[in-house]
Amino acid sequence: MERAIAHMDLDTFFVSCERLRDSVLEKQPVIIGGGDRGVVASCSYEARKFGVRSAMPLRMALRLCPEAQVIKGDMEYYSKMSHLVTEIIQEKVPVMEKASVDEFYLDLSGMDKFFGCYQWTSEIAETVKKKTGLPISFALSTNKTVSKIGTGEAKPSGKLELKPLAIQPFLNPLSVRKIPMVGDVTFELLSRLGIRKIETLSQMPVDVLQELIGKNGTELWKKANGIDLTPVVQYSERKSISTETTFAEDTIDIPNIRSILSGMVEQLCYQLRQEKWLTSTVSVRIRYANFDTETKQCKVAYTSADHTLLKYILELFKKVYTRRMRIRLVGVKFTGLVHGNHQMNLFEDTEELISLYQTMDKMKDRFGAKSLGRASGFLTQ
C-alpha cells in the first residue's frame, strides 16, 4: 500500500500566538526573544526579509531590523496553544506524531479508500485555523522527509501535494540545505565539492558520499532521492523518564538530598536533549523511613534546560517534604514529553548560556554523562 504522510507546521508559531493577543502586531516585523544578550527564539516573515533568523543574537537582529517589535515571549501560553492544536489534530487522524511544539506528522495511509487524503488534510488545517486562529501549512507525500521539505516550500499558510512521480522534479532544483539532516558543517563540505542542489546530490555514487560524510552518507543519498521509510510514531504524552535513589541509611541531611536532586535533574535533562525531548510536567517523589510515600508535581513550559527544571524540582521538594522524618528514597520524574529542538528558554537565556549547554553536552558525549556537571550535583550521599 502506498503511504500517505502529511507534515503540518504552525507558521511562525510564537509570533502568531502573540498576534492573537495583539492585532497591532499584524504585518509588523516581530521578534520573540529576551534581554540584550539573548537570542531570537522566533521572528515574523516581515523581520526575515531584513535577514533576521532564529537563534541569531538579538543585538544583531536589531541592527538588521531596528524597527522590529521585540516581545519577551510566554512559553506557558505557547504550550497551551500547542496542546489545543494537538487535541484538534489527534481527534481527526488515525496516527499522529508530535515532532515539536508546532510540528506534526500524520499517517493517512489507506484513508484514500474513504476520503481523499489531500482533502482530509486540508479540512484539518482549516479546522485548526478556525478554532485557534493560528495559521498552519502542510504538505502531503509518501514520506516524512519529502513532506517536511514540502511544507517549508508551501509556507506561509500554504498547502502542497506531492504525488510519487512529482517528488524528484520537486526536490531537484532545491538547495541541499532544505534536507532536514543537512547542517552548516555538512552544507559547507558539500558546497566545497560543488554539490549545492539536491539534484546533484541525488546523482552522487553512494559509496563516494559514505567516504566523504561517513555513515550518514547513505541516509543523505536516500533523502536526496525522496526515499524515507521512517514511520510516523504515535504521539502519547504518557511517555516519561525518571530516576530515583534509595539511601543505604535513612537520612535527614536536607542539603545532601538537594544536591542529589540536582544531579538527578542534570542526568535527566542531558537524556532529554540527547533524545530531543522536551518535558511539560515534573514531579518529585519521596519515601519516608516508615515507607509513607508522597509525590508533588507541576506543569512547566516545554523545556530541557537543567537550570530551569532544577528550580521547579527544588520547589516541589520543599513542598512535599513536610515532616521532620528521615527519608528512605527520593526520585525525580519528567512526563508530558514531546519531541522538539527548543531546548533552551530562548526568551531568557543568553548566547553564552546556550553555548555552555551545547559545549557541556559535547563533553558528556565524549567522556560520559557523569563526567561533567554542577559542583552541587557531585556531592556524595
Side-chain angles (χ1 to χ4, degrees):
M1 179 177 63
E2 185 176 283
R3 295 204 302 165
I5 309 297
H7 175 264
M8 307 190 83
D9 198 339
L10 293 160
D11 299 334
T12 58
F13 177 49
F14 298 162
V15 173
S16 297
C17 287
E18 292 297 340
R19 285 173 168 170
L20 288 178
R21 298 201 286 195
D22 185 357
S23 60
V24 173
L25 299 175
E26 290 289 345
K27 298 183 179 180
Q28 299 296 317
V30 178
I31 294 173
I32 308 294
D36 292 337
R37 297 171 63 194
V39 298
V40 176
S42 181
C43 60
S44 66
Y45 289 106
E46 292 82 4
R48 293 181 189 183
K49 291 178 181 178
F50 292 86
V52 179
R53 294 291 181 269
S54 294
M56 174 182 287
L58 190 57
R59 289 171 296 182
M60 181 185 298
L62 289 174
R63 284 199 295 269
L64 293 171
C65 186
E67 63 270 38
Q69 298 287 324
V70 179
I71 299 172
K72 182 178 180 181
D74 182 352
M75 199 63 191
E76 184 176 353
Y77 171 53
Y78 306 152
S79 299
K80 179 182 176 182
M81 295 303 293
S82 175
H83 280 295
L84 179 57
V85 174
T86 302
E87 290 174 358
I88 292 170
I89 297 175
Q90 204 166 24
E91 285 180 357
K92 295 180 176 294
V93 297
V95 183
M96 181 205 77
E97 176 181 332
K98 188 170 184 177
S100 70
V101 293
D102 57 359
E103 188 178 7
F104 309 84
Y105 288 102
L106 322 180
D107 190 340
L108 307 172
S109 303
M111 288 187 65
D112 53 348
K113 295 179 181 179
F114 311 99
F115 312 97
C117 291
Y118 181 71
Q119 181 60 32
W120 187 247
T121 312
S122 297
E123 289 177 7
I124 294 172
E126 285 300 317
T127 302
V128 169
K129 186 174 181 180
K130 182 178 180 180
K131 290 189 174 182
T132 68
L134 295 169
I136 190 168
S137 297
F138 77 85
L140 177 70
S141 77
T142 58
N143 64 65
K144 294 169 81 172
T145 294
V146 174
S147 292
K148 182 175 176 66
I149 295 173
T151 302
E153 295 303 295
K155 284 174 171 282
S157 299
K159 52 187 180 180
L160 185 63
E161 181 178 21
L162 293 163
K163 294 185 178 297
L165 293 178
I167 289 176
Q168 203 60 51
F170 163 74
L171 294 174
N172 283 342
L174 300 178
S175 167
V176 292
R177 272 190 183 275
K178 300 287 185 177
I179 300 175
M181 66 184 294
V182 175
D184 291 339
V185 175
T186 303
F187 177 71
E188 289 175 9
L189 173 60
L190 293 173
S191 293
R192 287 198 298 270
L193 297 170
I195 304 172
R196 295 182 176 84
K197 301 293 183 183
I198 292 180
E199 181 176 18
T200 309
L201 181 60
S202 70
Q203 296 171 353
M204 287 284 291
V206 178
D207 55 346
V208 173
L209 281 175
Q210 283 182 317
E211 288 182 18
L212 294 172
I213 301 173
K215 62 181 181 180
N216 288 329
T218 301
E219 195 63 29
L220 189 57
W221 179 88
K222 287 180 180 179
K223 291 181 183 296
N225 283 278
I227 302 168
D228 180 9
L229 302 180
T230 307
V232 174
V233 180
Q234 180 65 48
Y235 169 73
S236 172
E237 284 204 337
R238 291 189 295 274
K239 293 176 181 175
S240 66
I241 62 170
S242 62
T243 186
E244 61 182 33
T245 293
T246 300
F247 301 112
E249 294 182 3
D250 300 341
T251 180
I252 201 170
D253 186 345
I254 301 305
N256 188 51
I257 293 174
R258 288 169 60 91
S259 169
I260 290 168
L261 287 171
S262 176
M264 287 178 167
V265 170
E266 280 198 70
Q267 174 192 334
L268 292 179
C269 285
Y270 173 65
Q271 185 178 340
L272 286 178
R273 293 192 295 272
Q274 287 299 99
E275 299 175 13
K276 293 183 170 58
W277 287 109
L278 304 172
T279 182
S280 61
T281 305
V282 299
S283 62
V284 173
R285 177 172 175 248
I286 64 171
R287 179 170 294 153
Y288 290 104
N290 66 353
F291 285 88
D292 285 351
T293 303
E294 295 187 17
T295 303
K296 287 281 186 184
Q297 71 173 39
C298 68
K299 298 284 287 185
V300 300
Y302 285 119
T303 186
S304 60
D306 309 12
H307 68 286
T308 301
L309 293 173
L310 180 58
K311 175 181 66 176
Y312 290 107
I313 291 297
L314 294 179
E315 288 175 356
L316 287 173
F317 175 69
K318 186 176 181 180
K319 291 177 181 178
V320 76
Y321 181 59
T322 56
R323 312 183 204 175
R324 291 290 296 175
M325 286 181 62
R326 291 182 179 275
I327 293 177
R328 175 183 179 83
L329 173 149
V330 65
V332 173
K333 187 175 185 180
F334 296 161
T335 56
L337 306 183
V338 299
H339 277 295
N341 295 318
H342 298 293
Q343 298 175 356
M344 303 296 134
N345 184 349
L346 296 180
F347 314 124
E348 296 179 0
D349 294 344
T350 63
E351 302 165 55
E352 293 84 357
L353 186 55
I354 294 171
S355 178
L356 175 62
Y357 271 101
Q358 292 170 342
T359 301
M360 287 176 66
D361 284 350
K362 287 179 182 177
M363 293 181 70
K364 288 179 180 181
D365 291 344
R366 183 174 180 183
F367 300 108
K370 296 184 178 181
S371 61
L372 185 70
R374 285 177 169 78
S376 61
F378 279 104
L379 296 179
T380 57
Q381 297 179 22

